[in-house]
Amino acid sequence: MIHKFNAIFDAQQKNQYAVRLSTAAERIQKLNALKSCIEAHENDIYEALHTDLRKNKFESAVTEVLFIYSEIDFTIKNLSGWMKPQHAARNISNLLAKNRIYYEPKGVCLIIAPWNYPFQLVMSPLISAVAAGNCAMIKPSEYSSATSSLLFRLLEKTFEEQEIACIEGDASVSASLLKLPFDHIFFTGSTAVGKIVMEAASKHLSSVTLELGGKSPVIIDETTNISKAAEKIAWGKLINAGQTCIAPDYALIQASKMDEFTDAYKKAVVEMFFDKTDKRLDFKSFAKIINQKHYDRIQGLIKEAIDRGAKILWGGPSNLLHQTIHPTLLGYLPENCTIMEEEIFGPVLPLIPYTNLEEAIGLIKRKNKPLALYIFSEDQSHIRQILKNTSSGGACINDVLIHISNPNLPFGGVNQSGMGSSHGFFGFKTFSHERAVVFQSDINAASLVYPPYKKKQWILQLLKKLM
């Protein structure tokens, strides 16, 4: 197996210079071919996602397939402009020169994708890699095996192996791939594994993009329309059964609004995810937990919190047979319990009351910088105060998740929640080297600083005035 990886890698190394020379029209043709292949197998994609995560077809369409169509269309529309050399201003050292920034492919890239959005999180960075003119090896997650197998077939139909290759397998396969000297590595997954990826990349000085996670907080103040906020938070928290890297991970609620929010959240959840006939959780609209290991981990977080004094404010029976955890609200949590330290990645929402905004901001600042921050408020001074005094990969005001859907915005984390950006032009830049090129004129002003230096003190005085 390792010999096969090496053979593919060597083939891509040799082919990268031919791919590098591809025009915008040729790259657009590849993206159109990818889109056509996805369209031809759209129902297969929905079936694979249902097999792996029991995703409802509508949810899969919105969060995975249509998301990728939009990303491809946006890239095709803008790629010619992105590829053009960008003008840069002159300075005193090249007053008459032409300065340009060329966006050039990095070469051979590795994309390691997770299981929670197994189609979207392979295709999104792949679109950027192809747009930037790279070769790439793709490693989807073995946990979402139905989607992984389908991705292999789709990419095999669309690309030659020496340009784009999908590699299936477990964590040992990822470890083997990370030993190769890729020009760039794009990893989406946990912070713990992100550190392993970064360490492996350092041995070859490979550049990295890390899309990680963290505990993304929601702040709800006393000016919030609780009914609307609860509906949005319930959707953002429970889509894909909470297995979303930017899902609200815990809610900081002004103490006077706790009961109102709890009631509104329960009402919203029942309306969206419960069967109207038997009043039970509807498995047709509510995704399952990916596997028993993850199911047991979430249940362990809940149990540890309860053992330490937390209380279930709302929740129902979970079902191991169907790998389903009931939407749950937790209260009265000690700050240092594990569920307040680790990313939950499940349908459990801890509620933390606060009395003043500084208290809520202080709790956020004591934790690692999150991938997302959500603020629900009608008070602009509160919004400014929170944004100025916190740090996060991205933020939404009076909504959740939607920032990821706009390709005009960079998507990425900061420190523990990641590094680098993706989507749209930001994804194109991630897979490109920004090469500075100066076209010097026949009149070379820089020669004024060449030796010999005798009688050139006046030049220093001139430079001080001009700089």
Side-chain angles (χ1 to χ4, degrees):
M1 183 68 79
I2 293 175
H3 295 302
K4 182 181 180 182
F5 299 161
N6 291 339
I8 294 172
F9 181 80
D10 290 343
Q12 292 195 354
Q13 285 278 66
K14 293 174 183 176
N15 189 42
Q16 64 171 302
Y17 297 102
V19 177
R20 174 192 185 94
L21 296 174
S22 58
T23 64
E26 289 168 333
R27 297 179 194 181
I28 287 170
Q29 185 178 20
K30 294 173 186 178
L31 293 173
N32 274 320
L34 179 60
K35 184 178 180 182
S36 295
C37 188
I38 294 170
E39 289 174 333
H41 294 274
E42 192 171 306
N43 286 329
D44 296 332
I45 296 167
Y46 296 141
E47 288 178 13
L49 292 169
H50 187 269
T51 298
D52 288 330
L53 287 151
R54 205 179 63 215
K55 288 192 180 187
N56 179 277
K57 181 178 178 179
F58 186 91
E59 181 176 313
S60 291
V62 172
T63 64
E64 304 239 25
V65 178
L66 298 185
F67 187 103
I68 292 305
Y69 287 157
S70 176
E71 188 107 2
I72 292 174
D73 290 345
F74 185 84
T75 301
I76 287 172
K77 179 181 178 181
N78 293 282
L79 183 57
S80 295
W82 295 346
M83 288 178 63
K84 289 178 180 177
Q86 303 298 304
H87 289 247
R90 300 181 179 95
N91 72 353
I92 192 171
S93 69
N94 53 18
L95 286 172
L96 301 176
K98 293 188 293 184
N99 303 288
R100 301 289 185 268
I101 300 170
Y102 283 70
Y103 290 100
E104 300 180 345
K106 287 190 173 178
V108 181
C109 304
L110 173 63
I111 298 171
I112 302 178
W115 49 262
N116 58 324
Y117 289 86
F119 181 78
Q120 182 216 124
L121 294 176
V122 162
M123 288 296 177
S124 181
L126 175 60
I127 291 163
S128 297
V130 170
N134 295 279
C135 296
M137 294 176 73
I138 315 296
K139 169 58 178 72
S141 173
E142 69 277 15
Y143 289 168
S144 48
S145 57
T147 308
S148 175
S149 177
L150 179 60
L151 284 165
F152 178 88
R153 298 195 301 274
L154 295 183
L155 296 178
E156 188 179 43
K157 287 182 178 181
T158 310
F159 298 97
E160 295 295 327
E161 194 175 66
Q162 66 265 29
E163 182 173 355
I164 304 295
C166 184
I167 310 295
E168 293 187 275
D170 59 17
S172 66
V173 171
S174 296
S176 296
L177 288 169
L178 287 169
K179 293 177 182 178
L180 297 172
F182 286 97
D183 297 296
H184 187 77
I185 299 173
F186 190 107
F187 170 78
T188 306
S190 70
T191 300
V193 179
K195 292 177 181 178
I196 296 171
V197 171
M198 192 170 183
E199 182 180 3
S202 70
K203 294 176 181 177
H204 303 290
L205 296 180
S206 304
S207 58
V208 296
T209 302
L210 303 177
E211 298 282 9
L212 308 177
K215 299 194 70 63
S216 297
V218 179
I219 298 183
I220 300 166
D221 76 3
E222 64 276 14
T223 70
T224 302
N225 182 316
I226 295 297
S227 177
K228 289 182 179 180
E231 181 180 38
K232 292 175 179 180
I233 294 167
W235 171 75
K237 179 63 182 178
L238 299 178
I239 194 170
N240 201 28
Q243 299 166 117
T244 303
C245 61
I246 52 171
D249 203 83
Y250 63 99
L252 294 157
I253 306 174
Q254 215 287 329
S256 64
K257 298 291 184 177
M258 273 287 289
D259 291 342
E260 184 182 355
F261 177 83
T262 301
D263 291 341
Y265 184 88
K266 290 189 288 185
K267 180 180 178 181
V269 173
V270 169
E271 182 65 29
M272 285 188 279
F273 296 105
F274 277 55
D275 188 281
K276 300 299 183 291
T277 302
D278 62 14
K279 310 298 182 183
R280 294 180 181 180
L281 194 61
D282 184 2
F283 290 179
K284 293 179 181 179
S285 61
F286 193 73
K288 69 178 182 178
I289 303 302
I290 186 66
N291 55 33
Q292 185 176 341
K293 178 183 176 182
H294 191 47
Y295 177 96
D296 291 342
R297 188 191 70 85
I298 299 169
Q299 293 286 45
L301 291 176
I302 297 171
K303 183 180 184 304
E304 192 256 7
I306 292 171
D307 290 344
R308 298 192 58 186
K311 295 181 180 179
I312 294 180
L313 303 178
W314 182 62
S318 294
N319 189 316
L320 175 58
L321 178 64
H322 296 284
Q323 290 172 207
T324 302
I325 292 179
H326 194 285
T328 302
L329 292 175
L330 285 179
Y332 304 97
L333 293 106
E335 186 177 333
N336 61 348
C337 64
T338 307
I339 204 167
M340 287 303 296
E341 298 297 327
E342 292 183 5
E343 185 177 11
I344 299 170
F345 229 59
V348 183
L349 183 64
L351 305 183
I352 314 294
Y354 69 86
T355 54
N356 60 74
L357 202 53
E358 290 77 12
E359 180 185 344
I361 291 171
L363 189 147
I364 293 171
K365 290 166 72 173
R366 288 194 295 274
K367 300 186 180 301
N368 291 328
K369 297 174 182 178
L371 186 54
L373 170 70
Y374 303 116
I375 304 168
F376 284 86
S377 174
E378 299 301 324
D379 188 321
Q380 293 301 313
S381 66
H382 285 183
I383 294 169
R384 288 192 298 270
Q385 182 181 354
I386 296 166
L387 290 176
K388 285 180 179 180
N389 288 283
T390 60
S391 177
S392 65
C396 286
I397 315 302
N398 292 321
D399 214 333
V400 297
L401 308 193
I402 61 168
H403 59 298
I404 196 174
S405 65
N406 185 350
N408 294 290
L409 293 173
F411 178 79
V414 55
N415 296 121
Q416 292 287 323
S417 57
M419 61 176 63
S421 299
S422 61
H423 298 171
F425 178 60
F426 304 97
F428 173 81
K429 280 182 64 177
T430 285
F431 284 95
S432 301
H433 167 62
E434 295 175 274
R435 189 180 194 181
V437 179
V438 175
F439 297 88
Q440 186 59 283
S441 69
D442 291 336
I443 302 173
N444 181 15
S447 64
L448 292 172
V449 300
Y450 294 174
Y453 300 125
K454 189 177 181 180
K455 297 182 180 180
K456 289 194 174 182
Q457 292 302 310
W458 67 272
I459 294 176
L460 293 180
Q461 299 302 318
L462 177 62
L463 290 174
K464 285 182 179 179
K465 291 179 180 179
L466 293 176
M467 287 183 171

